[in-house]
Structure formats: C-alpha cells, structure tokens
Amino acid sequence: QVQLVESGGGSVQAGGSLRLSCVASGYTSSRKCVAWFRQVLGKEHEGVAGIGPGGPVTVYADFVEGRFTISQDNAANTVYLQMHSLTPEDSAMYYCAAGDCAGEWYRLDPEKFEIWGQGTQVTVSS
C-alpha cells in the first residue's frame, strides 16, 4: 500500500523552529518528486517546497525566503522540511505529497502530485 505519513508538527512561538518528516512506504521516495504543501482552513493548498528524485533539485515558494530547507534521506525513504524563523503566518496544516514529476512539477501545483499524506498541524504563536 502506497502511503505517506507526516510528523513533527506542533506549537511554537514566533522565531522558533520545527522539522517535519514525511515517511514513504509502498514505493521508493527517491524515484518520485516530493513536495510540502500547506493549507489554512477555507483556502487552497499552497506549495511550500519540493525536491526532485533522489534530492539534487529543490524548489521553494517565494515566501520561504531562505527560512526552510527540504531534504531527503534515501535510505530512510523520508523527506524532511526544516523550518526556522517561523511566524504566525506559517500556521497551517502541512502535507507532503509525491508525484511522478510530470510536467512542471517544480511550480508546486497540487494537481501534479498524486499521493498525499494526512497532514501535520503547525501552529506559531506571536
């Protein structure tokens, strides 16, 4: 069964850090493009960061501004999102998603990613 499981969310104060993890099972994550999205209730999924197969290519949304780093541990079949300098505007449900790198996946269009996790909540207080 193909599955993604996120963890690492929580509540932090502004300026704090969190590291999100996305563990893949049922397929090899290094053979797919993986991205992190976030969603605030009532709004659409917003792309945060993405990583190409095996990890050499990474992309970030403009609002990241160098604060986040996406990385991949191929041996552990896990993709991470290290987040620093968090602000209340970063509060959201964070999802990881995987896809076959079709088309312009690097634009972080949610429709390009077929496999989704259940999400992990990030709450940043001021």
Side-chain angles (χ1 to χ4, degrees):
Q1 180 182 1
V2 176
Q3 192 175 14
L4 295 172
V5 178
E6 304 97 329
S7 62
S11 297
V12 296
Q13 290 191 328
S17 300
L18 284 172
R19 189 178 80 155
L20 307 183
S21 299
C22 172
V23 180
S25 59
Y27 76 97
T28 303
S29 65
S30 62
R31 295 180 180 177
K32 290 188 180 290
C33 294
V34 180
W36 286 95
F37 294 87
R38 67 187 188 184
Q39 186 179 35
V40 176
L41 193 63
K43 295 189 176 182
E44 296 181 349
H45 286 97
E46 179 180 43
V48 177
I51 189 165
V57 176
T58 57
V59 293
Y60 297 93
D62 290 342
F63 63 79
V64 169
E65 297 180 325
R67 300 179 297 133
F68 300 171
T69 302
I70 189 170
S71 62
Q72 186 167 37
D73 182 338
N74 294 328
N77 225 22
T78 300
V79 172
Y80 302 99
L81 183 68
Q82 177 69 58
M83 304 187 294
H84 296 295
S85 303
L86 287 163
T87 73
E89 288 70 34
D90 294 315
S91 296
M93 183 72 81
Y94 282 71
Y95 299 88
C96 70
D100 291 326
C101 310
E104 298 178 331
W105 69 270
Y106 48 86
R107 299 192 183 281
L108 303 180
D109 179 353
E111 294 186 1
K112 300 294 185 184
F113 297 84
E114 301 86 36
I115 307 166
W116 289 76
Q118 84 290 347
T120 185
Q121 180 68 40
V122 171
T123 303
V124 184
S125 57
S126 58

